[in-house]
Amino acid sequence: MGAGHAHASGTIEHERPLWWALGLTVVFLCAEVVGGLLTNSLALLSDAAHMGTDVIALAISLAAVRLARRPADARRTYGYARMEALGAMVNGALLFLVAGYILWEAVGRFRAPPPVASGGMLAIAVLGLVVNLVAMRLLKAGSGQSLNLRGAYLEVWADMLGSVGVIIGALLIEFTGFYLADPVIAVLIGLWVLPRTWMLLREAGHVLMQGVPAGLELEQVRAALLSHPGVDAVHDLHVWALGSRQPVLTAHVVLGAGATDADRVRSALADELHAQFGIGHATLQVERTPCIDQPPNA
């Protein structure tokens, strides 16, 4: 028997700020790439590469929001929620390539640092900082309600720090002539990207491997089911996520001797799962006796 048939991802909110943030980021990405080439600044190009990952992250967020509107069909009975995790894997692979290129290029510049037009580098970095601050403001409201938007917000937040780093590097070059500041800042930005990339890949892989969603403890869920007076045992308990925000549960529930209304027990368990753990889709198979060769509470 099933309960809590919430197949959709919920009300789609804050899509317009995502579009605005994406538009601003794309426009400035183009300007930053041109500026980095004209000023010969690796730090500026590395920040542009990081902003490029912001574009990908925002596009993934928008795609996830839009695909979530598509209903399940006969071929994809759970809909398109997994596209978010697949997109994150692609995003992570690109981030690794970008960070690797930045670090490789920086090694050559440490050996023979070329001159950098610090004035243009500074002007473009300041504009980038402004764009990032505006994008952060647009995304902040939704970041507390949606994990998808929170990821986009953190991407822009991290890029804001990258812009600050480029500004510091430009000022050092302008006033001290220390051209090594450019590859140093580039390396720091690259090293900032790598751990975040690993976290992104790990979380996406966890979703694709049907791992228990973050914030949920399987034994706590089991204990909540067993706490009902009509439940004698629980086995074949599985909890996973369709996307980043859609936990799903299946379990076999063995009724106690005193439980006479299986539907009432099932409904009460579904309500408890939703209230305590936010699990809106729970499929509970109610049994009078455990399955053959199945130990209780396995």
Side-chain angles (χ1 to χ4, degrees):
M1 295 182 181
H5 297 285
H7 296 277
S9 61
T11 304
I12 304 303
E13 296 180 344
H14 308 293
E15 184 178 345
R16 182 173 294 179
L18 270 173
W19 278 113
W20 276 105
L22 178 62
L24 285 170
T25 306
V26 168
V27 170
F28 191 75
L29 169 63
C30 297
E32 200 166 33
V33 169
V34 172
L37 294 174
L38 292 177
T39 62
N40 199 29
S41 169
L42 180 61
L44 200 57
L45 287 174
S46 68
D47 189 54
H50 192 193
M51 187 164 281
T53 65
D54 291 349
V55 170
I56 295 172
L58 291 167
I60 288 172
S61 296
L62 273 169
V65 164
R66 287 190 158 268
L67 285 173
R69 295 177 177 176
R70 300 181 65 175
D73 53 41
R75 289 177 58 85
R76 297 173 179 84
T77 57
Y78 275 122
Y80 295 82
R82 285 290 169 87
M83 289 299 297
E84 183 180 4
L86 291 172
M89 295 291 284
V90 174
N91 192 4
L94 291 174
L95 277 166
F96 261 117
L97 290 174
V98 168
Y101 170 76
I102 290 169
L103 295 175
W104 176 262
E105 184 69 18
V107 170
R109 294 206 174 196
F110 275 119
R111 297 171 181 167
V116 176
S118 57
M121 175 182 172
L122 178 62
I124 295 172
V126 169
L127 288 175
L129 178 61
V130 172
V131 169
N132 285 318
L133 291 174
V134 172
M136 287 174 65
R137 176 65 178 172
L138 289 169
L139 298 174
K140 183 173 177 59
S143 66
Q145 302 176 26
S146 165
L147 184 60
N148 190 32
L149 282 173
R150 192 182 310 161
Y153 175 77
L154 290 176
E155 283 281 348
V156 176
W157 183 86
D159 196 53
M160 181 272 294
L161 293 181
S163 295
V164 172
V166 175
I167 290 171
I168 293 172
L171 291 173
L172 285 173
I173 294 172
E174 179 70 22
F175 293 105
T176 68
F178 183 60
Y179 288 113
L180 279 176
D182 181 60
V184 167
I185 295 297
V187 167
L188 292 176
I189 294 175
L191 293 178
W192 174 264
V193 169
L194 285 175
R196 294 170 56 246
T197 301
W198 171 247
M199 291 178 63
L200 178 68
L201 289 172
R202 186 175 63 180
E203 292 175 7
H206 188 72
V207 171
L208 293 175
M209 290 296 293
Q210 296 183 315
V212 177
L216 287 180
E217 293 291 338
L218 192 64
E219 291 310 311
Q220 292 181 4
V221 176
R222 189 190 305 276
L225 293 172
L226 289 170
S227 66
H228 191 282
V231 175
D232 185 57
V234 175
H235 62 89
D236 282 332
L237 173 61
H238 303 281
V239 184
W240 71 99
L242 298 179
S244 60
R245 299 182 296 123
Q246 297 165 267
V248 177
L249 177 145
T250 62
H252 291 209
V253 177
V254 182
L255 298 179
T260 58
D261 192 333
D263 282 339
R264 180 174 295 179
V265 172
R266 178 194 54 78
S267 179
L269 292 176
D271 291 342
E272 179 64 22
L273 289 170
H274 186 269
Q276 187 171 343
F277 303 104
I279 299 174
H281 185 99
T283 302
L284 302 172
Q285 179 170 314
V286 180
E287 304 168 343
R288 287 292 176 182
T289 57
C291 298
I292 299 175
D293 298 329
Q294 178 63 56
N297 302 325

